[in-house]
Amino acid sequence: MKTKKILIIIGGGIAAYKSLDLIRLLKKNNFEIKTILTKSGREFVTPLSLTALTGSKPHENMFHTDEEAKIDHISLSRWADLVLVLPTTANFMSKLCQGRAEDLSTTVILASNKDIFLVPAMNVRMWSHLATQQNVKSLKNYGYKFIGPEKGEMACGEYGEGKMSSPRQIYSEIKNYFYNQKILTQKKLTALVTAGPTREYLDPVRYISNESSGKQGVAIANALSRIGIKTKLVLGPSDSQVDKGIKVIKVTSGIEMLNAVKKLLPVDIAVCAAAVSDVKPINKNTDKLKKSYNQLNNLKLDKNPDILEYLGKTNKSKPRLIVGFSAETKDLIKNSKKKIREKYCDIIIANDVSRRDIGFNSDYNEVHIIDSKGNKEKISKGKKSYIANLIVENILKKFLINDKNIN
Ligand code: C5P
């Protein structure tokens, strides 16, 4: 990929120190970086460290006499392929909302013709304040893109949403953005994701289900949609936050999920992340089952239809790339490779569900991406949104290789 240029605006917050790590990561991966150091950013990061890491002095003033640093706000915004504001403070967001151009950073942003990524970092109360949330809404409507914030322990000692995404997470979002822009300029792609558990009702109040939270599948749908892929999500019972712009079909049972999937075909890419219950009762009792031996003994179960296998075997509107998941407690790789063959998919995302710190219900995951040729790549433990970005990157790489029309 051609070298990409990123303009990083460093805001005034304690998380500013993480910008140095991010710059190192980006430089190591051949990105060109210029920086604007805001007045309050200067309280946390020095011009000297930015110069040492980027190879050029940070821009600080609208008006200056220093010839070397002379570049006007228009050329600076045209130079960049992407603008990143990190950390984005509550105050900075409110300035952007009003369209203020009071210093170099706000003027460059207002004059920019590129996508602008805001990376918020602030105290949980500041983030959840109605005023900030209204600003977030307006900024999204203006077209600003957001990375994070995440939930976690903050520098002030409080816990909650408002923590800045890690340099690793920000880097993966940026990389995906550029990588996928390349693909998307060539073809408009569509994707279908299944996520969450299913519930198979025995009677009006009891059901067979599992511990899936839907978090990983929803994060994948969000990651696909954020890079401009038209994404449809068939979601079992789950409270995971789905991005605006994704078409969501809520379902309860495995049969409903299959029917919804069939209706949403054709798509280019299908990702089956749902933990569909393996079994379902043959009949749902209209009234609550009694404890009597007879009623319980007459419960008859049947296998649920396998949606992933259906997609892999169908001749009608078969997706061009099919991705399955494999949740195992032992022989993870061996069992996952077997699943690729049996379910005719192109990629399997294998995760070990015997661990409590990752997988089902956790905000974290650790996966192996295995393809039908037996290639295997491990993604070590990270937030599910981070894992989702890397999965999407991998999916698109495979898609490029598989699909001659796109090359
Ligand atoms: O066979 P197993 O349930 O382990 O396979 C997991 C993969 O198959 C996941 O991708 C899951 O979404 C998919 N699956 C499905 N329909 C089922 C069972 C599993 O789509 N009934």
Short mmCIF file of all heavy atoms in Angstrom, two decimals, residues 90 93 122-136 161:
data_model
loop_
_atom_site.label_atom_id
_atom_site.label_comp_id
_atom_site.label_asym_id
_atom_site.label_seq_id
_atom_site.Cartn_x
_atom_site.Cartn_y
_atom_site.Cartn_z
N ALA A 90 -13.57 16.68 26.20
CA ALA A 90 -14.97 17.13 26.14
C ALA A 90 -15.00 18.57 25.60
O ALA A 90 -15.85 18.93 24.78
CB ALA A 90 -15.58 17.07 27.53
N MET A 93 -14.47 18.66 21.84
CA MET A 93 -15.66 18.24 21.10
C MET A 93 -16.68 19.37 21.04
O MET A 93 -17.32 19.57 20.02
CB MET A 93 -16.29 17.01 21.77
CG MET A 93 -15.51 15.75 21.47
SD MET A 93 -16.47 14.27 21.68
CE MET A 93 -16.70 14.27 23.40
N MET A 122 -11.79 10.88 28.71
CA MET A 122 -12.22 11.79 29.78
C MET A 122 -12.82 10.99 30.92
O MET A 122 -13.05 9.79 30.78
CB MET A 122 -13.24 12.81 29.24
CG MET A 122 -14.55 12.22 28.79
SD MET A 122 -15.50 13.35 27.76
CE MET A 122 -14.61 13.31 26.22
N ASN A 123 -13.08 11.66 32.01
CA ASN A 123 -13.69 11.03 33.17
C ASN A 123 -15.08 10.50 32.78
O ASN A 123 -15.76 11.07 31.94
CB ASN A 123 -13.81 12.10 34.28
CG ASN A 123 -14.68 11.64 35.41
OD1 ASN A 123 -15.90 11.81 35.37
ND2 ASN A 123 -14.06 11.06 36.42
N VAL A 124 -15.47 9.40 33.42
CA VAL A 124 -16.73 8.73 33.08
C VAL A 124 -17.94 9.67 33.17
O VAL A 124 -18.84 9.63 32.32
CB VAL A 124 -16.92 7.45 33.94
CG1 VAL A 124 -16.78 7.72 35.41
CG2 VAL A 124 -18.26 6.79 33.69
N ARG A 125 -17.96 10.55 34.16
CA ARG A 125 -19.10 11.48 34.32
C ARG A 125 -19.11 12.50 33.19
O ARG A 125 -20.15 12.90 32.70
CB ARG A 125 -19.01 12.20 35.66
CG ARG A 125 -19.17 11.27 36.81
CD ARG A 125 -20.38 11.69 37.64
NE ARG A 125 -20.69 10.64 38.56
CZ ARG A 125 -21.90 10.18 38.80
NH1 ARG A 125 -22.93 10.69 38.16
NH2 ARG A 125 -22.10 9.22 39.66
N MET A 126 -17.90 12.95 32.82
CA MET A 126 -17.83 13.92 31.73
C MET A 126 -18.32 13.29 30.43
O MET A 126 -19.04 13.91 29.65
CB MET A 126 -16.38 14.41 31.55
CG MET A 126 -15.91 15.29 32.66
SD MET A 126 -14.16 15.67 32.49
CE MET A 126 -14.20 17.04 31.37
N TRP A 127 -17.93 12.04 30.21
CA TRP A 127 -18.34 11.35 28.98
C TRP A 127 -19.84 11.12 28.96
O TRP A 127 -20.50 11.31 27.95
CB TRP A 127 -17.59 10.02 28.84
CG TRP A 127 -18.08 9.19 27.69
CD1 TRP A 127 -18.79 8.05 27.75
CD2 TRP A 127 -17.90 9.47 26.28
NE1 TRP A 127 -19.08 7.58 26.49
CE2 TRP A 127 -18.54 8.43 25.57
CE3 TRP A 127 -17.27 10.49 25.56
CZ2 TRP A 127 -18.58 8.39 24.18
CZ3 TRP A 127 -17.30 10.44 24.15
CH2 TRP A 127 -17.94 9.41 23.49
N SER A 128 -20.40 10.69 30.10
CA SER A 128 -21.83 10.35 30.09
C SER A 128 -22.72 11.59 30.26
O SER A 128 -23.93 11.48 30.13
CB SER A 128 -22.13 9.30 31.16
OG SER A 128 -21.75 9.82 32.42
N HIS A 129 -22.14 12.74 30.54
CA HIS A 129 -22.96 13.96 30.69
C HIS A 129 -23.78 14.19 29.42
O HIS A 129 -23.28 14.01 28.30
CB HIS A 129 -22.05 15.17 30.96
CG HIS A 129 -22.79 16.34 31.50
ND1 HIS A 129 -23.63 17.11 30.73
CD2 HIS A 129 -22.84 16.86 32.75
CE1 HIS A 129 -24.17 18.06 31.48
NE2 HIS A 129 -23.70 17.93 32.72
N LEU A 130 -25.02 14.59 29.64
CA LEU A 130 -25.93 14.79 28.51
C LEU A 130 -25.34 15.75 27.46
O LEU A 130 -25.49 15.55 26.26
CB LEU A 130 -27.26 15.34 29.04
CG LEU A 130 -28.48 14.95 28.23
CD1 LEU A 130 -28.58 13.45 28.09
CD2 LEU A 130 -29.72 15.52 28.88
N ALA A 131 -24.66 16.79 27.95
CA ALA A 131 -24.09 17.78 27.02
C ALA A 131 -23.07 17.12 26.11
O ALA A 131 -23.06 17.33 24.89
CB ALA A 131 -23.44 18.91 27.81
N THR A 132 -22.20 16.26 26.71
CA THR A 132 -21.18 15.58 25.90
C THR A 132 -21.85 14.61 24.93
O THR A 132 -21.49 14.55 23.75
CB THR A 132 -20.20 14.80 26.82
OG1 THR A 132 -19.71 15.69 27.81
CG2 THR A 132 -19.06 14.21 26.05
N GLN A 133 -22.84 13.88 25.43
CA GLN A 133 -23.50 12.90 24.57
C GLN A 133 -24.24 13.58 23.41
O GLN A 133 -24.26 13.06 22.29
CB GLN A 133 -24.45 12.01 25.39
CG GLN A 133 -23.71 10.99 26.26
CD GLN A 133 -22.72 10.15 25.45
OE1 GLN A 133 -23.06 9.58 24.41
NE2 GLN A 133 -21.48 10.10 25.89
N GLN A 134 -24.82 14.76 23.68
CA GLN A 134 -25.46 15.52 22.59
C GLN A 134 -24.40 15.92 21.57
O GLN A 134 -24.62 15.87 20.36
CB GLN A 134 -26.11 16.81 23.13
CG GLN A 134 -27.35 16.58 23.95
CD GLN A 134 -28.54 16.15 23.08
OE1 GLN A 134 -28.41 16.03 21.87
NE2 GLN A 134 -29.66 15.89 23.70
N ASN A 135 -23.23 16.34 22.08
CA ASN A 135 -22.14 16.73 21.17
C ASN A 135 -21.68 15.56 20.32
O ASN A 135 -21.44 15.70 19.13
CB ASN A 135 -20.96 17.30 21.96
CG ASN A 135 -21.27 18.67 22.53
OD1 ASN A 135 -22.21 19.33 22.10
ND2 ASN A 135 -20.48 19.11 23.50
N VAL A 136 -21.58 14.38 20.96
CA VAL A 136 -21.15 13.18 20.22
C VAL A 136 -22.13 12.93 19.07
O VAL A 136 -21.74 12.67 17.93
CB VAL A 136 -21.08 11.94 21.15
CG1 VAL A 136 -20.88 10.66 20.37
CG2 VAL A 136 -19.97 12.11 22.19
N GLU A 161 -16.84 4.18 31.43
CA GLU A 161 -16.59 4.48 30.03
C GLU A 161 -15.97 5.87 29.91
O GLU A 161 -16.45 6.81 30.55
CB GLU A 161 -17.91 4.43 29.26
CG GLU A 161 -17.70 4.21 27.79
CD GLU A 161 -19.01 3.95 27.05
OE1 GLU A 161 -20.06 3.90 27.70
OE2 GLU A 161 -18.93 3.82 25.82
#
